[in-house]
Amino acid sequence: MSQSSDKLFFEARQFIAGGVNSPVRSWQAVGGEPLFVREAKGCKIFDSDGKQYIDFVLAWGPMIIGHSHPEIVAAIFHTAQKGTCYGAPTAAETQMAKTICEAIPSIELIRMTSSGTEAVMTAIRLARSFTGRDLIVKFDGCYHGHADSLLVKAGSGALTLGIPGSKGVPRCLAELTLSLPYNDNGILEETMEHYGERLAAVIVEPVAGNMGVVLPRPGFLEKLRELTAKYGIVLIFDEVITGFRFTFGGYQNLIGIKPDLTCLGKIIGGGLPVGACGGRKEIMERLAPAGDVYQAGTLSGNILAINAGLATLRILKAKCAYYPQLKTKAEQFHNIVEKLFVAKGIPVCINNFHTMFTPFFQEGPVFDLNSAQKSDADLFSRFFHGMLKNGVWLAPSQFEANFGSFAHSDADIAFALNACAATLKEI
Ligand SMILES: *Cc1c(COP(=O)(O)O)cnc(C)c1O
């Protein structure tokens, strides 16, 4: 497809395991060789040949205000001139913590990490210490980073590549993780009756994004909150994708449910490596040095990442009033895409929430991992490659979320809709 990308991928495979530094980038799920990126600006991304695409991957979530935003570039530039890493506290870190605590009321204290994976590892360790219990519950198809305990029926790349339970995870650790179907209150209640008093934590993506977009059914998260409170279990919302995506705060702000701990990442780093774990004071205080739960990081609170994140949050705060407008625009886009599919007679179930969407190639409804997997992944692959040819870059798997952003203009959306119509004619 792109000779230069094919050549670059060939070279990469000589030196990088599998040719990529994160598995989904290999495009294994949709076939063909991955495009290499030369640069990106706004909602446009350019491959190694210089061909331009409308980007709906947006680095898998972080770039909600678009690539290479001038204010973020300036923040990174000015910071770098004063050093890039100190290994000592800075006022900017407190500013970041304060901004997040004020935006998400359930977060009373926070700790910054360099990735979402680390944030989740920290949350789980805290929950185990706080409760004195070992077992945790997650949900099939949810992805919480690549720590041992969470790679059980995991989503995202693990699901895409057919290794939702990774090799190399000690059985004794995997056995401490129970994975339940998403959105099934009945199984949830049964599990709680049997295991409730042995559970340290329940972790959930409040809007699932890593088996494709799956929305929580009314009452699912409410039931989770009720039952975890009843059994003294730490409820962890993994808002690594959803944090600051729908409002200036978490998804929890919209539904008025307070988890005990929240994990963040992606958007709050402005495209630099960041994660965060925060929540109830009495739990967070257990972290060393105040408490006896160990957690650390050479690059945690790194000044470049913090200042890029702060710049992003400043911009989002200023745009705060426009989130509903963005939602309306996204919904119009999804409606038109759906009509195009209907006109062509191809079954589709477009799961979407605000700017997050997945076109599942099936009638639907898609409400958990099992129903997601009924999709026609081959047809999706053809659609993906067709869209690419027509200048639109979608997530290279049926089981991933796509993202709109503040950088997608009406013209960009119109371009994407034309590409969709053209692609549907061709497949
Ligand atoms: C991306 C993601 C993670 C992991 O974050 P990394 O920064 O990739 O380690 C955790 N949870 C969810 C819901 C994610 O989407």
Side-chain angles (χ1 to χ4, degrees):
M1 206 163 11
S2 158
Q3 279 186 1
S4 64
S5 282
D6 289 358
K7 185 162 167 281
L8 289 169
F9 191 45
F10 178 81
E11 281 169 5
R13 274 178 298 182
Q14 316 296 309
F15 301 103
I16 301 173
V20 288
N21 283 315
S22 195
V24 283
R25 296 178 201 163
S26 70
W27 289 14
Q28 202 160 303
V30 288
E33 312 267 273
L35 288 179
F36 274 55
V37 174
R38 179 187 288 182
E39 61 182 280
K41 176 86 191 158
C43 74
K44 312 258 169 51
I45 192 160
F46 299 83
D47 71 15
S48 50
D49 292 331
K51 187 180 170 192
Q52 173 184 309
Y53 307 83
I54 306 286
D55 186 7
F56 286 105
V57 182
L58 296 173
W60 303 86
M63 314 312 300
I64 191 169
I65 50 178
H67 296 282
S68 190
H69 189 287
E71 277 177 55
I72 296 171
V73 173
I76 293 171
F77 180 77
H78 292 307
T79 302
Q81 286 181 315
K82 297 179 186 170
T84 55
C85 194
Y86 310 128
T90 59
E93 291 164 90
T94 307
Q95 184 59 41
M96 172 60 100
K98 189 168 171 236
T99 305
I100 295 174
C101 289
E102 284 172 1
I104 304 180
S106 74
I107 301 182
E108 295 169 346
L109 284 175
I110 196 162
R111 173 73 53 97
M112 303 302 296
T113 62
S114 294
S115 68
T117 295
E118 288 172 83
V120 170
M121 284 167 55
T122 304
I124 299 286
R125 190 173 301 141
L126 275 170
R128 285 177 165 153
S129 149
F130 185 71
T131 57
R133 306 167 182 173
D134 288 338
L135 290 181
I136 59 173
V137 158
K138 71 178 285 291
F139 295 92
D140 304 346
C142 285
Y143 177 71
H144 305 290
H146 62 95
D148 282 344
S149 302
L150 283 313
L151 282 179
V152 177
K153 297 198 180 173
S156 191
L159 174 62
T160 290
L161 302 182
I163 37 179
S166 170
K167 286 282 179 295
V169 173
R171 184 185 300 169
C172 59
L173 268 182
E175 280 172 357
L176 296 177
T177 304
L178 311 177
S179 194
L180 311 181
Y182 199 80
N183 270 331
D184 191 325
N185 282 12
I187 292 182
L188 181 65
E189 282 182 51
E190 266 172 47
T191 306
M192 289 293 171
E193 268 167 39
H194 281 96
Y195 295 99
E197 262 136 41
R198 294 170 57 201
L199 286 172
V202 174
I203 183 165
V204 67
E205 286 182 73
V207 175
N210 285 296
M211 51 181 143
V213 175
V214 173
L215 276 67
R217 280 179 169 154
F220 174 60
L221 297 171
E222 287 78 1
K223 182 56 80 181
L224 263 184
R225 179 65 283 184
E226 176 200 320
L227 291 172
T228 47
K230 177 174 166 193
Y231 290 100
I233 302 162
V234 175
L235 177 60
I236 306 169
F237 272 11
D238 182 347
E239 298 228 40
V240 171
I241 284 187
T242 54
F244 295 90
R245 189 169 304 284
F246 317 127
T247 182
F248 195 77
Y251 178 69
Q252 57 190 273
N253 297 52
L254 298 183
I255 52 168
I257 295 178
K258 277 192 174 185
D260 302 300
L261 294 177
T262 299
C263 299
L264 295 167
K266 300 200 167 111
I267 288 177
I268 62 161
L272 271 75
V274 165
C277 167
R280 273 167 59 193
K281 192 164 179 228
E282 56 181 326
I283 304 177
M284 291 302 297
E285 272 177 347
R286 296 192 160 234
L287 280 180
D292 52 10
V293 175
Y294 197 71
Q295 190 273 352
T298 303
L299 291 165
S300 294
N302 171 268
I303 192 65
L304 275 183
I306 293 291
N307 280 341
L310 276 175
T312 303
L313 293 180
R314 258 198 315 275
I315 296 164
L316 286 176
K317 185 141 205 199
K319 284 185 189 293
C320 202
Y322 295 98
Y323 276 108
Q325 205 171 311
L326 190 60
K327 174 175 190 253
T328 309
K329 246 169 85 167
E331 280 166 359
Q332 284 165 354
F333 172 67
H334 302 138
N335 283 340
I336 299 174
V337 172
E338 191 164 14
K339 285 200 181 104
L340 292 172
F341 274 79
V342 170
K344 170 77 182 175
I346 296 180
V348 73
C349 168
I350 301 178
N351 275 12
N352 64 90
F353 189 71
H354 282 238
T355 46
M356 267 172 89
F357 67 99
T358 301
F360 287 104
F361 279 66
Q362 59 160 302
E363 298 282 356
V366 174
F367 53 88
D368 64 2
L369 179 59
N370 260 336
S371 49
Q373 285 180 321
K374 290 181 183 142
S375 307
D376 186 342
D378 289 338
L379 193 56
F380 172 82
S381 299
R382 276 191 276 150
F383 180 70
F384 167 82
H385 284 292
M387 289 296 274
L388 202 65
K389 188 168 98 10
N390 290 313
V392 175
W393 191 316
L394 296 174
S397 164
Q398 172 70 99
F399 307 110
E400 297 283 0
N402 298 277
F403 300 103
S405 78
F406 284 106
H408 289 83
S409 70
D410 290 345
D412 298 321
I413 301 286
F415 181 92
L417 288 171
N418 278 334
C420 181
T423 302
L424 287 173
K425 278 203 187 97
E426 293 157 12
I427 61 170

